[in-house]
Amino acid sequence: MNARRVYLMLWCLISAPLLWAQSTGREVTDQQLIWVGYHSTLELNKGWSLNFEVEERRFINPDRQHQFLARGQVRHALGKNWDAVGGFAYFLQSPHNPFATEVLVVPELRLHIQLDYKQPLEKLMITHRYRAERRFFRNTAGGELADGYTANYRFRYRLGLEYPLVKLGQQRLKGKLSDEIMVNAGERITHNWFDQNRLYAGLSYPVHKNVSVEAGYLKWFQQRASGNQFYDRDIIRLIVSHKLDLKRKEADVEI
């Protein structure tokens, strides 16, 4: 796969949902948010690692929580640039309307399996992520949490590009561009089989050999359950990533 085909695929993923919504004259609600998160990776031994993520997602004006998430996953290298991943996430979902007077927070439990593929092309790194999720939403009744959960499936594909840019100090600034499309499946899904599209552009810089900081802009376009209403969200994203290599520590002790 050459660079031209990758760019064409990325453009198709980005433009298709947006053009479809605009052409059908749907109702679109604009929102602005900020996402702040901490991601860590524990390298256990050859081919195995643990990933942990904590993120706080908030509306900007007014300042109110939109989502909180905590995610853990196990990663195993399959060889030839393929990784297999399995994980679990805990979400807290506040109302999608930051001006809502009712502030019921609904928990969501999420299981996922995933395949990652890295495709180097000279200095450009092309990444592919295929993820299948089983989502469990806490039931609600009368504006309060009720017993039990309702579940559905979601399937996600993300195409990413990473490229080293200018050298700042001893390290290089890295540019990132990605687009991810998500589709729903299950008995509860009637009008919104297309869930959302996320277009992202960001910059990443290693401030330490094990710590990097990433800042970027995310365009989150999501279809609501009604089918004819959408959210168009502009998001500032700030992430600190921390890697701990436990294999190296074990080797140092043996020496």
Side-chain angles (χ1 to χ4, degrees):
M1 181 183 293
N2 58 34
R4 182 176 298 179
R5 291 179 61 186
V6 172
Y7 296 145
L8 179 61
M9 183 184 301
L10 187 61
W11 182 85
C12 291
L13 285 171
I14 295 169
S15 60
L18 300 177
L19 292 175
W20 175 70
Q22 293 173 359
S23 64
T24 51
R26 306 298 186 180
E27 178 186 336
V28 179
T29 301
D30 296 318
Q31 295 178 334
Q32 293 76 43
L33 298 94
I34 182 169
W35 290 5
V36 179
Y38 170 77
H39 297 180
S40 65
T41 299
L42 302 180
E43 300 285 350
L44 300 178
N45 52 46
K46 186 176 181 180
W48 289 93
S49 63
L50 297 176
N51 304 124
F52 301 97
E53 302 174 9
V54 177
E55 291 189 16
E56 172 74 4
R57 302 173 175 180
R58 303 188 69 85
F59 292 105
I60 293 178
N61 187 19
D63 174 31
R64 293 184 66 173
Q65 186 184 70
H66 182 227
Q67 294 175 330
F68 170 83
L69 75 89
R71 178 186 288 119
Q73 56 185 21
V74 180
R75 178 179 298 270
H76 179 56
L78 301 177
K80 295 183 178 180
N81 298 327
W82 284 95
D83 286 356
V85 181
F88 171 82
Y90 175 72
F91 275 73
L92 293 176
Q93 177 66 65
S94 297
H96 291 294
N97 179 7
F99 299 97
T101 55
E102 297 182 1
V103 291
L104 180 66
V105 178
V106 181
E108 175 191 345
L109 309 179
R110 186 183 301 177
L111 298 169
H112 73 269
I113 56 174
Q114 176 179 312
L115 285 174
D116 289 345
Y117 178 60
K118 293 183 177 180
Q119 187 178 7
L121 184 63
E122 296 182 353
K123 292 184 178 181
L124 179 67
M125 177 64 72
I126 306 168
T127 61
H128 306 264
R129 189 178 80 176
Y130 309 87
R131 178 182 287 184
E133 299 174 324
R134 180 65 165 169
R135 307 175 68 190
F136 298 87
F137 303 93
R138 181 71 177 269
N139 292 328
T140 61
E144 296 182 354
L145 296 178
D147 294 336
Y149 287 80
T150 304
N152 71 280
Y153 293 95
R154 186 168 67 180
F155 301 95
R156 307 167 59 161
Y157 169 67
R158 186 180 71 187
L159 173 64
L161 307 176
E162 299 181 4
Y163 191 83
L165 302 174
V166 298
K167 192 171 184 179
L168 300 176
Q170 300 299 317
Q171 303 292 338
R172 281 195 176 273
L173 186 70
K174 181 185 294 184
K176 294 185 176 183
L177 179 65
S178 67
D179 189 70
E180 183 173 21
I181 189 168
M182 310 182 196
V183 294
N184 293 313
E187 296 179 354
R188 298 176 62 247
I189 306 303
T190 54
H191 303 295
N192 62 326
W193 64 269
F194 164 74
D195 179 45
Q196 59 185 268
N197 190 87
R198 295 182 182 180
L199 171 63
Y200 177 72
L203 297 172
S204 176
Y205 183 77
V207 296
H208 184 269
K209 63 179 181 179
N210 293 326
V211 180
S212 63
V213 177
E214 184 172 325
Y217 166 76
L218 178 68
K219 169 67 79 170
W220 179 5
F221 191 78
Q222 182 178 26
Q223 185 178 25
R224 299 165 67 176
S226 62
N228 64 347
Q229 296 174 306
F230 297 83
Y231 290 111
D232 187 358
R233 298 184 172 114
D234 299 296
I235 301 169
I236 299 171
R237 185 171 181 266
L238 303 172
I239 301 294
V240 175
S241 297
H242 185 198
K243 180 179 292 187
L244 295 174
D245 191 344
L246 301 185
K247 304 190 304 297
R248 185 176 305 165
K249 291 183 178 181
E250 293 175 358
D252 292 343
V253 171
E254 294 176 356
I255 292 174

